[in-house]
Amino acid sequence: MDLRQLRYFAAVARERNFTRAAQILNIAQPPLSRQIQLLEEELGVALIIRSSRPIRLTDAGRLFYEQALQVLGRVDQMKDATRRVGANRNRLLSIGFVASTLYGGLPLLVRKLRQNAPELDIQLLEMLSIQQIPALKEGRIDIGFGRLLHNDPNVTSTVLREERLVTALPRDTALARETGPLTLADLTGQKLIVYPKEPRPSYADQVLALLQDRLVQPAEVLEVREIQTALGLVAAESGICIIPSSARQMRSDVEYRLIGDPEALSPVILNHRAGDNSRYLGLVRKLIGDMYAENPAWLEANNLPRRP
Amino acid sequence: MDLRQLRYFAAVARERNFTRAAQILNIAQPPLSRQIQLLEEELGVALIIRSSRPIRLTDAGRLFYEQALQVLGRVDQMKDATRRVGANRNRLLSIGFVASTLYGGLPLLVRKLRQNAPELDIQLLEMLSIQQIPALKEGRIDIGFGRLLHNDPNVTSTVLREERLVTALPRDTALARETGPLTLADLTGQKLIVYPKEPRPSYADQVLALLQDRLVQPAEVLEVREIQTALGLVAAESGICIIPSSARQMRSDVEYRLIGDPEALSPVILNHRAGDNSRYLGLVRKLIGDMYAENPAWLEANNLPRRP
DNA sequence: CATCAACTATACCTTTCAGGTATGGTTTCA
DNA sequence: TGAAACCATACCTGAAAGGTATAGTTGATG
């Protein structure tokens, strides 16, 4: 399979006609026919129903068509972005982040970065904590914001803050009617939703370890792929979920209650390559320090007293 | 450019060594070298710094590397999904939706669909109202949930409900301290954020027309790409935004106030191909009817009295 | 129902280009 | 400085993309 075949297929799918598609592609009809056949053979799936005029797509073909358009669009964007960075001599700063840090200061940091270094091309990539390590080592990202400590000597980690945890609860439930913080023990017998399901170890393991250390037994544990799914299930009254405090902002139709236990914390960790002394990393560190020095409301609400 | 070149580049970028990458790819080093050169020529950008051992990537090369991995991953998923639909004889139902319908019943509809038709492979595709029309006509999607009426005779639209609008306001502002509904006239002189910026016409034009009909003049109009961006800016106190009522759930760190003017409504529209009498469309209609007949809290809170 | 135009598949041929081997040039390290 | 490792260039081969010609299929029309 290659991009050429995707382009060919998209043209046929759009036109519903091999002959016209071939004209548009500026090739002859028989090689177009053969390329589509090769594609179908590789996939082992019929994409086109040829015993009708105009031809029709199978369900698999319809799915493939939409996906092919998306991939081709992605490739075009990729070319544009690469040319932009290369042609303008822009410097690239790639930032990996776990979804739950999106509401905990990251947007503000990016805005300040853009103000302080307008020549920077900033690429934001959502990825799990454990995925940031190889990405840093391979140079795919320059810094990562995660929540999991690791022991790779090639990657340096700085705990920026310890963020408090909250329980996300369906509305109109007994726990939701409590007004003060809950304890981990209060969660005994609840149906617990954890994320991310894989790869492991992940934030899910942090939550489960926290409960186990307190000998708290949930009624059931449901593992899901990502935090948005988890919160959606909470909203649908399918269970409760423990999330970092700042991630409350992600969803307004559930209740959130702080967890009062002192160990109910999740670190926000800055990862970068060991020995990296690039000036943009220095700038990032400075901007984070400035942000924390302002001690804004969002920082105070979600975290322990700031480390010196 | 083709996928082969992306795979080759990713191997070189990973290994930092043409010779080793060639071994891994099971080809000889010189053709690998040449393919990378062809890629660089096509892009017009140097991706690799060869005057160092190990070789290094340029910034453009680093960006390209990460993007290439993502595209290759997407292609693998696409193959898997296509094979799954084709091999299992699953039927495919593709649903296009605007982001703001995500909290207005769509997840529940999808869940009910899955229960009622387990043989269905459901593809959810976020796309703007105006993009749903060609997607329906081309068979890329089967149904669409949008908010814009159109006049294409090949696409049938059904207004499911008229959803009330709310103003999203930064916290601790004068308007946010009002407790009852606002009027459109109350928004005079505010800095207004509208979305989506393009393509037009869009929901942004609906909002602007509403204000103009009431001769309401915002201080400024800021156009952004999508609702999440808009709400983020509201949270950052950069302005206010008019959104459909159910989309309140998307963000909890801003205030929302209903707009009391009777014309402050946004239709939720079901689009499908004219004459489409497939049984899944019938099932969707039935399930929607059932959902509305239950008159759940979310429906009552956000909408006008249900149509018969 | 038969015919015909439009369209897709198959057969065979030509051209292009991907990949191979051999060798030259460059970088790094002892 | 020399040698090893590694990347680039040159030239060759064969695989595959694309071409023309023709056979087979569908659907509309009389």
Side-chain angles (χ1 to χ4, degrees):
Chain A
M1 180 184 290
D2 60 49
L3 295 174
R4 201 179 80 259
Q5 284 176 331
L6 297 193
R7 280 195 293 270
Y8 286 178
F9 181 77
V12 173
R14 172 118 190 227
E15 299 296 325
R16 301 292 173 88
N17 182 309
F18 278 82
T19 310
R20 210 156 54 233
Q23 280 163 11
I24 286 164
L25 294 164
N26 287 308
I27 65 170
Q29 173 262 319
L32 176 61
S33 185
R34 195 169 321 110
Q35 289 298 323
I36 304 296
Q37 284 172 357
L38 290 175
L39 182 58
E40 285 175 312
E41 277 165 31
E42 177 179 340
L43 291 168
V45 178
L47 300 175
I48 291 178
I49 299 164
R50 293 167 174 80
S51 55
S52 91
R53 303 287 163 81
I55 56 165
R56 286 184 289 129
L57 299 185
T58 63
D59 277 354
R62 291 196 300 124
L63 176 68
F64 194 81
Y65 179 33
E66 178 63 31
Q67 301 287 314
L69 290 182
Q70 290 185 14
V71 166
L72 291 170
R74 276 297 303 269
V75 168
D76 282 345
Q77 285 164 21
M78 182 167 93
K79 288 187 194 172
D80 290 345
T82 303
R83 288 181 179 131
R84 197 180 63 231
V85 170
N88 297 343
R89 294 294 176 177
N90 278 6
R91 292 305 318 270
L92 173 73
L93 187 71
S94 292
I95 302 176
F97 65 94
V98 294
S100 59
T101 57
L102 198 51
Y103 296 85
L106 183 60
L108 182 57
L109 173 65
V110 171
R111 210 174 311 145
K112 283 174 178 287
L113 261 180
R114 289 199 160 123
Q115 287 162 7
N116 282 276
E119 76 282 3
L120 258 194
D121 211 290
I122 299 172
Q123 187 187 30
L124 287 170
L125 301 164
E126 184 182 349
M127 59 178 66
L128 302 175
S129 300
I130 198 170
Q131 292 168 334
Q132 291 175 20
I133 309 304
L136 279 163
K137 287 160 72 174
E138 287 170 35
R140 285 189 277 128
I141 61 173
D142 301 300
I143 60 179
F145 291 100
R147 290 189 181 271
L148 227 49
L149 286 163
H150 68 90
N151 53 13
D152 195 308
N154 298 306
V155 174
T156 300
S157 300
T158 309
V159 177
L160 296 177
R161 54 189 162 101
E162 294 280 355
E163 185 165 2
R164 300 184 69 174
L165 299 177
V166 300
T167 308
L169 303 156
R171 291 208 162 145
D172 298 321
T173 51
L175 283 182
R177 284 191 279 274
E178 302 278 345
T179 51
L182 303 180
T183 66
L184 289 168
D186 289 332
L187 308 185
T188 302
Q190 297 285 327
K191 185 172 175 187
L192 181 67
I193 299 158
V194 297
Y195 70 90
K197 188 173 190 170
E198 55 202 16
R200 291 295 190 66
S202 73
Y203 173 74
D205 299 303
Q206 280 184 347
V207 169
L208 294 173
L210 213 41
L211 293 176
Q212 186 165 38
D213 289 348
R214 282 283 170 128
L215 302 176
V216 174
Q217 193 87 327
E220 192 180 328
V221 178
L222 177 58
E223 293 179 353
V224 298
R225 257 200 51 210
E226 55 162 25
I227 184 170
Q228 290 276 17
T229 310
L231 290 178
L233 288 175
V234 171
E237 303 183 20
S238 299
I240 67 169
C241 183
I242 298 178
I243 64 168
S245 184
S246 61
R248 290 189 247 199
Q249 300 164 33
M250 292 179 93
R251 186 120 194 174
S252 70
D253 52 345
V254 299
E255 292 290 329
Y256 300 99
R257 292 292 178 269
L258 274 172
I259 302 179
D261 310 59
E263 69 271 26
L265 300 171
S266 172
V268 177
I269 298 167
L270 172 64
N271 295 312
H272 60 84
R273 280 178 294 274
D276 187 345
N277 55 3
S278 81
R279 72 179 180 100
Y280 294 116
L281 179 58
L283 178 59
V284 166
R285 284 178 167 282
K286 177 183 178 299
L287 292 177
I288 290 173
D290 291 348
M291 279 161 58
Y292 284 17
E294 284 165 27
N295 209 28
W298 65 267
L299 190 62
E300 213 162 50
N302 295 331
N303 300 275
L304 281 186
R306 189 174 62 86
R307 291 171 180 255
Chain B
M1 179 182 291
D2 61 47
L3 295 174
R4 202 178 79 261
Q5 283 175 332
L6 297 192
R7 279 194 294 272
Y8 286 178
F9 181 78
V12 172
R14 173 112 191 236
E15 298 297 325
R16 301 293 174 89
N17 182 308
F18 278 81
T19 310
R20 209 155 54 233
Q23 280 164 13
I24 285 164
L25 294 163
N26 287 309
I27 65 168
Q29 175 263 319
L32 177 61
S33 185
R34 192 168 324 111
Q35 289 298 322
I36 305 296
Q37 285 172 354
L38 290 175
L39 184 57
E40 284 175 311
E41 278 165 28
E42 177 179 341
L43 290 169
V45 178
L47 301 175
I48 293 179
I49 299 165
R50 293 167 174 80
S51 54
S52 91
R53 303 287 163 80
I55 56 164
R56 286 184 289 130
L57 299 184
T58 63
D59 277 354
R62 290 196 303 124
L63 177 69
F64 193 81
Y65 178 33
E66 177 63 31
Q67 300 288 314
L69 289 181
Q70 290 186 13
V71 165
L72 291 170
R74 276 296 304 268
V75 167
D76 283 344
Q77 285 164 22
M78 182 167 94
K79 288 186 194 171
D80 290 345
T82 303
R83 286 181 179 128
R84 195 179 65 233
V85 170
N88 298 342
R89 294 294 174 176
N90 278 7
R91 292 305 318 268
L92 174 73
L93 187 71
S94 292
I95 301 176
F97 65 94
V98 294
S100 59
T101 57
L102 198 52
Y103 297 85
L106 183 60
L108 182 58
L109 172 64
V110 171
R111 209 174 310 145
K112 283 176 177 288
L113 261 180
R114 287 200 161 121
Q115 289 162 6
N116 282 274
E119 76 282 3
L120 259 194
D121 211 291
I122 300 172
Q123 188 187 29
L124 287 170
L125 302 164
E126 183 181 349
M127 61 178 65
L128 301 176
S129 301
I130 199 171
Q131 292 169 334
Q132 292 175 21
I133 308 305
L136 280 163
K137 287 159 71 174
E138 286 170 35
R140 285 189 276 127
I141 61 173
D142 301 301
I143 60 180
F145 291 100
R147 289 190 183 271
L148 227 47
L149 286 163
H150 67 89
N151 53 12
D152 195 310
N154 298 305
V155 176
T156 300
S157 300
T158 309
V159 177
L160 297 177
R161 55 190 161 100
E162 294 280 355
E163 185 166 4
R164 301 183 68 175
L165 298 177
V166 299
T167 308
L169 301 155
R171 289 206 165 146
D172 298 322
T173 51
L175 283 181
R177 283 192 281 273
E178 301 279 345
T179 52
L182 304 180
T183 65
L184 289 169
D186 290 332
L187 308 185
T188 303
Q190 296 286 328
K191 184 172 173 185
L192 180 67
I193 300 159
V194 296
Y195 70 90
K197 186 174 192 169
E198 58 203 11
R200 290 296 187 66
S202 72
Y203 172 75
D205 299 302
Q206 281 185 346
V207 169
L208 294 174
L210 213 39
L211 294 177
Q212 187 165 35
D213 289 349
R214 281 285 171 126
L215 301 176
V216 175
Q217 194 87 326
E220 193 179 329
V221 177
L222 175 57
E223 294 179 350
V224 297
R225 257 200 50 207
E226 54 163 25
I227 184 171
Q228 290 277 17
T229 310
L231 289 178
L233 288 175
V234 171
E237 302 182 21
S238 299
I240 66 167
C241 183
I242 298 177
I243 64 168
S245 184
S246 61
R248 288 189 249 200
Q249 298 165 34
M250 291 178 94
R251 186 122 193 169
S252 69
D253 54 344
V254 300
E255 292 290 327
Y256 301 98
R257 293 290 178 270
L258 274 171
I259 301 179
D261 311 58
E263 69 271 28
L265 301 170
S266 172
V268 178
I269 298 168
L270 172 65
N271 295 311
H272 59 84
R273 280 177 292 274
D276 187 346
N277 56 2
S278 81
R279 72 179 179 98
Y280 294 116
L281 178 58
L283 178 59
V284 166
R285 283 177 166 284
K286 177 183 178 299
L287 292 177
I288 290 172
D290 291 349
M291 279 161 58
Y292 284 16
E294 284 165 28
N295 208 29
W298 65 266
L299 188 61
E300 214 163 48
N302 295 330
N303 300 276
L304 283 185
R306 191 175 61 86
R307 292 167 182 256

